[in-house]
């Protein structure tokens, strides 16, 4: 399992320097607000790596990496979707667009973002807050 953890150099080469910076900033943002368990896994068919934030058996969010691309996924269940929909106009058009085009499954909407800069980070934190209150001051 340990060989699955990519080095900083490998990640930088895989996604590219500018996206590796986004990856690091997003991780720092999550870790600043949440004390979670995290784990590296294979990214399945579409991604090389998956980096999952969990606590108490519940996933908060997952970051993905593949060649020249970083992914941020958050799954909103039924009650969480209602919270989002009540407040949807306060989210960016991009977040609303991705929400609307994402298929709803029995266990929720699996929202996948592919950030290329930090413009959606405030929305990401608000989405995370729907799932779980931050547990760090």
């Amino acid at each position: 399992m340990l060989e699955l953890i990519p080095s900083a150099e490998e990640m930088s080469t895989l996604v590219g320097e500018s996206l590796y910076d986004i990856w690091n900033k997003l991780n720092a943002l999550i870790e600043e607000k949440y004390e979670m368990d995290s784990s590296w896994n294979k990214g399945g068919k579409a991604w090389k790596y998956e980096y999952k934030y969990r606590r108490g058996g519940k996933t908060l969010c997952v970051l993905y990496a593949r060649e020249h691309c970083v992914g941020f996924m958050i799954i909103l269940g039924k009650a969480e979707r209602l919270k989002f929909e009540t407040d949807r106009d306060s989210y960016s058009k991009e977040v609303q667009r991705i929400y609307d085009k994402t298929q709803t499954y029995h266990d929720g909407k699996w929202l996948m973002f592919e950030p290329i800069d930090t413009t959606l980070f405030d929305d990401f934190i608000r989405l995370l807050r729907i799932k779980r209150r931050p547990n760090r001051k």
Side-chain angles (χ1 to χ4, degrees), residues 34-115:
Y34 293 92
E35 189 177 328
M36 306 294 284
D37 299 322
S38 55
S39 62
W40 286 95
N41 294 293
K42 285 191 175 82
K45 289 181 185 152
W47 301 89
K48 180 152 186 183
Y49 296 110
E50 159 188 289
Y51 189 66
K52 189 180 283 192
Y53 285 97
R54 293 176 64 99
R55 178 124 188 205
K58 288 195 172 195
T59 299
L60 176 69
C61 64
V62 186
L63 275 63
Y64 291 95
R66 67 174 176 229
E67 215 168 317
H68 309 298
C69 192
V70 165
F72 170 79
M73 188 175 74
I74 185 163
I75 300 169
L76 297 181
K78 194 171 188 175
E80 295 156 346
R81 290 198 321 272
L82 283 173
K83 285 181 188 172
F84 173 84
E85 288 165 10
T86 301
D87 202 26
R88 72 173 283 136
D89 290 342
S90 67
Y91 286 86
S92 67
K93 292 284 176 238
E94 176 67 1
V95 169
Q96 291 180 44
R97 185 186 68 76
I98 287 173
Y99 181 86
D100 291 340
K101 78 173 188 125
T102 299
Q103 186 175 345
T104 303
Y105 295 100
H106 71 282
D107 58 351
K109 269 190 186 273
W110 297 45
L111 303 176
M112 176 60 85
F113 300 90
E114 293 181 4

